Amino acid sequence: MSYGKRIDTLCAHLKKATVFADVGCDHGYCSEYMLKNGLCERAILSDISKGSLKKAENLLAEYIRSGQATPVLGNGFFGVPKTTDEVLIAGMGGAEIVQILSHPTYGFIPEYFVFQPMHDSEKLRRFLKKQGANIIKDYTFKDGKFYDIIVGEKAKCVEQGCDYSENDYEFGRDNLKDRPTAFLERTEKLLKDTERYLLKENLQEKSKEELLERKRKLQGVLNGEIK
């Protein structure tokens, strides 16, 4: 069963777990994938929107009745036990995901996670590495829009080359290493946007310097100088 490229890509990185939480679950498709394929004993469907949660409740009514799925109406990790061993958060900003993970009462780093930030990916990467998390996959894909996906685990990485460089934080390690088509396409778009901004009149000197530096970096990525 296919849910579309974006959801299918997220599901491809999900693995077997005891308790799986889909935070910001919307329709609940990823939870359905986990439950239908026997990949979790229990799924927590969490959303701040009553309407979105209702869609997931309708889709997964059978699993809710059997006790295999639990709907939770709330923000972030409210109602999500810290013993939850796998968490998916998709479709939120990176800064918002950081707020969820670092909440003074409910926040925690899951044993295994799949995050799909809509923006501020660099901020999320920096937070995760500062917490000692091991980022396993970190790349860009396209499904109409461009999306970043960050997959990892709480366990501290002990292998050589675990540290992120400044370029890794900004662009994503696997993007620089593997140069996926979607990443290069997005980088080309960002370069064109930057060049267009540079043509604007009355640019302040500081803004112009920042844009020129941005242009240099994006060109460096495209020509392979930044790795």
Side-chain angles (χ1 to χ4, degrees):
M1 180 178 181
S2 176
Y3 298 102
K5 184 176 180 181
R6 175 176 169 266
I7 300 298
D8 287 350
T9 300
L10 295 173
C11 289
H13 291 288
L14 298 176
K15 66 178 187 177
K16 196 164 187 177
T18 302
V19 180
F20 166 74
D22 186 354
V23 177
C25 63
D26 196 26
H27 292 84
Y29 293 142
C30 292
S31 292
E32 182 185 50
Y33 169 83
M34 291 290 287
L35 290 162
K36 276 194 170 182
N37 289 282
L39 294 175
C40 65
E41 294 179 13
R42 187 163 73 94
I44 299 172
L45 324 169
S46 166
D47 208 293
I48 194 172
S49 164
K50 189 174 182 179
S52 292
L53 187 61
K54 186 63 178 176
K55 289 184 287 187
E57 288 176 321
N58 289 337
L59 179 69
L60 301 168
E62 179 184 339
Y63 294 102
I64 293 172
R65 284 194 296 269
S66 70
Q68 290 178 273
T70 304
V72 175
L73 180 64
N75 190 17
F77 279 160
F78 174 80
V80 178
K82 294 184 178 181
T83 52
T84 301
D85 50 322
E86 182 171 353
V87 172
L88 167 69
I89 306 179
M92 299 184 196
E96 189 176 358
I97 297 174
V98 168
Q99 287 179 343
I100 291 171
L101 300 175
S102 59
H103 190 281
T105 303
Y106 305 114
F108 65 97
I109 303 295
E111 293 297 326
Y112 182 80
F113 55 81
V114 178
F115 298 147
Q116 184 259 292
M118 298 299 291
H119 45 77
D120 291 329
S121 299
E122 179 178 347
K123 183 171 185 177
L124 178 56
R125 293 181 187 112
R126 289 185 183 278
F127 174 80
L128 290 169
K129 294 303 291 183
K130 187 175 181 180
Q131 300 305 308
N134 176 25
I135 297 178
I136 301 168
K137 293 293 294 182
D138 180 2
Y139 68 95
T140 301
F141 69 97
K142 184 180 180 182
D143 182 17
K145 299 178 181 179
F146 296 104
Y147 299 99
D148 287 330
I149 187 165
I150 300 173
V151 182
E153 56 192 0
K154 180 179 179 179
K156 188 173 178 64
C157 182
V158 295
E159 299 175 6
Q160 187 176 3
C162 288
D163 292 337
Y164 259 48
S165 68
E166 286 301 308
N167 291 328
D168 291 336
Y169 281 124
E170 184 171 355
F171 297 106
R173 171 170 285 184
D174 291 313
N175 283 329
L176 294 178
K177 182 177 68 175
D178 301 329
R179 299 172 65 80
T181 300
F183 169 66
L184 296 177
E185 186 179 337
R186 184 177 67 178
T187 303
E188 288 173 354
K189 182 180 182 301
L190 290 171
L191 177 58
K192 289 178 181 177
D193 290 343
T194 302
E195 290 173 335
R196 187 165 57 252
Y197 293 143
L198 279 165
L199 294 175
K200 289 186 176 181
E201 296 181 1
N202 303 320
L203 264 181
Q204 293 185 355
E205 192 60 33
K206 184 178 180 182
S207 296
K208 185 176 181 180
E209 289 175 3
E210 290 174 350
L211 286 168
L212 285 170
E213 174 61 18
R214 182 66 172 160
K215 178 181 177 180
R216 183 194 66 78
K217 275 193 172 184
L218 294 170
Q219 287 174 329
V221 169
L222 290 172
N223 63 27
E225 291 177 1
I226 292 180
K227 300 179 180 180

